[in-house]
Amino acid sequence: MAAYLCSDNRKVTTLRLIEMKKQGEKISMLTAYDYTTAKIFDAAGLDVILVGDSASNVMLGNETTVPMTLDKMIVFAGAVAKAVKRALVVVDMPFGTYQVDPTSAVQNAIRIMQETGADSLKLEGGLEIIPMVKKIIDAGIPVMGHLGLTPQSINAFGTYAVRAKDEAEAEKLVSDAHLLEEAGCFAVVLEKIPAKLAARVASELKIPVIGIGAGGQVDGQVLVFADMLGLTQGFSPRFLRRYADLNTVVTDAVGQYITDVKQGDFPNENEQY
Ligand code: KIV
């Protein structure tokens, strides 16, 4: 299948995303953590590439995103930013790099921006992180919020189950979303919450709401690339649609390579000097 036909090849900006929401054009977003993958995604016409701290699980084999460090995120983000021409590149600030105080948060945010060439940052949380969000935005760095199932808080949640099912948590989420918008965020990710609640937030906010496991009545969608391409196994939440079975494709290709090497079929005469 060809790349998505995109009529507008200008670099995607945070303002453009807000414009897309106004015009009812849905925003497409996927994670990427390396140069080669990001180059393919950008050429395919994706609007936003998230260098998510899910790299902790996908690339580094950790159980959670908690062990991710600033130095490691900078390596992943630098590789992605080098590859991308059109998409907006968003980088997750890892756990522990923005919760302490506004000064250290903005210092870490500046490091990511200077050392990677990314366009913007994403932070998890609501009311508790508003002073840090404001300080980072005041430094001229665009910030995307993230509410609902915020994986950096997994040790507090104790489960990856759907969040904000009860009224108190749902009301806090709505209030947090408004606080993030008022603080100057250019978009908010809502992860694994009831579709009805996500639809309410999307209708109340002027900035785009991008969902993962938050239903279709929001302004865009994000998925972890390794899940939607079928590279990962044993992870099948209801919200995940697999667009390819790359695990099988890669296993078959590597199996064929092993056979060819063992049988002396690779390399052939045309594949040598
Ligand atoms: O790190 C990540 O991949 C994310 C997405 C799940 C939104 O934050």
Side-chain angles (χ1 to χ4, degrees):
M1 197 190 289
Y4 171 71
L5 285 181
C6 187
S7 55
D8 190 342
N9 284 324
R10 287 173 302 163
K11 171 83 184 164
V12 179
T13 62
T14 56
L15 288 180
R16 169 92 182 101
L17 295 186
I18 293 168
E19 204 51 42
M20 284 168 81
K21 170 163 181 150
K22 273 195 208 144
Q23 290 169 359
E25 181 182 348
K26 299 268 188 184
I27 296 163
S28 59
M29 171 164 152
L30 285 175
T31 67
Y33 321 106
D34 71 280
Y35 177 87
T36 305
T37 310
K39 212 172 168 65
I40 296 169
F41 289 179
D42 192 45
L46 205 61
D47 297 314
V48 184
I49 296 185
L50 170 66
V51 189
D53 59 356
S54 49
S56 179
N57 315 71
V58 177
M59 305 302 281
L60 302 178
N62 294 315
E63 285 281 314
T64 73
T65 58
V66 173
M68 181 53 84
T69 64
L70 192 60
D71 287 345
K72 286 175 186 157
M73 277 308 291
I74 286 173
V75 173
F76 290 121
V80 168
K82 260 187 236 152
V84 173
K85 290 194 168 67
R86 178 184 173 273
L88 183 86
V89 177
V90 184
V91 181
D92 263 337
M93 287 195 76
F95 175 68
T97 64
Y98 58 94
Q99 291 90 347
V100 178
D101 58 61
T103 303
S104 60
V106 76
Q107 281 165 346
N108 291 330
I110 288 169
R111 248 200 89 192
I112 299 177
M113 298 302 286
Q114 283 189 322
E115 295 181 30
T116 68
D119 304 310
S120 59
L121 303 175
K122 176 163 80 58
L123 277 67
E124 295 183 6
L127 175 65
E128 324 72 50
I129 64 156
I130 293 297
M132 290 61 132
V133 168
K134 281 187 175 156
K135 187 84 178 166
I136 295 169
I137 292 173
D138 283 350
I141 302 170
V143 172
M144 175 182 275
H146 185 162
L147 297 169
L149 177 60
T150 45
Q152 292 177 13
S153 301
I154 189 59
N155 291 313
F157 295 152
T159 164
Y160 284 103
V162 178
R163 301 305 309 178
K165 279 168 90 175
D166 68 71
E167 204 179 320
E169 193 177 331
E171 287 310 316
K172 173 163 170 25
L173 187 142
V174 173
S175 153
D176 282 345
H178 281 281
L179 288 175
L180 289 167
E181 178 170 82
E182 284 156 24
C185 286
F186 70 87
V188 180
V189 166
L190 296 182
E191 181 164 353
K192 218 170 176 188
I193 64 166
K196 227 171 137 183
L197 178 63
R200 174 180 163 198
V201 175
S203 74
E204 289 185 14
L205 295 195
K206 288 189 185 66
I207 58 172
V209 169
I210 298 175
I212 171 164
Q217 300 306 304
V218 290
D219 308 301
Q221 298 293 327
V222 57
L223 286 174
V224 170
F225 94 92
D227 297 333
M228 62 84 74
L229 291 181
L231 280 166
T232 46
Q233 285 191 314
F235 178 67
S236 302
R238 191 201 296 197
F239 69 76
L240 176 61
R241 186 181 295 181
R242 289 194 199 280
Y243 285 84
D245 179 9
L246 289 197
N247 196 301
T248 302
V249 171
V250 173
T251 304
D252 287 351
V254 172
Q256 187 60 54
Y257 170 74
I258 295 168
T259 304
D260 290 352
V261 170
K262 299 274 183 199
Q263 293 179 346
D265 286 344
F266 176 79
N268 64 25
E269 279 185 8
N270 296 325
E271 292 163 332
Q272 64 190 20
Y273 299 99

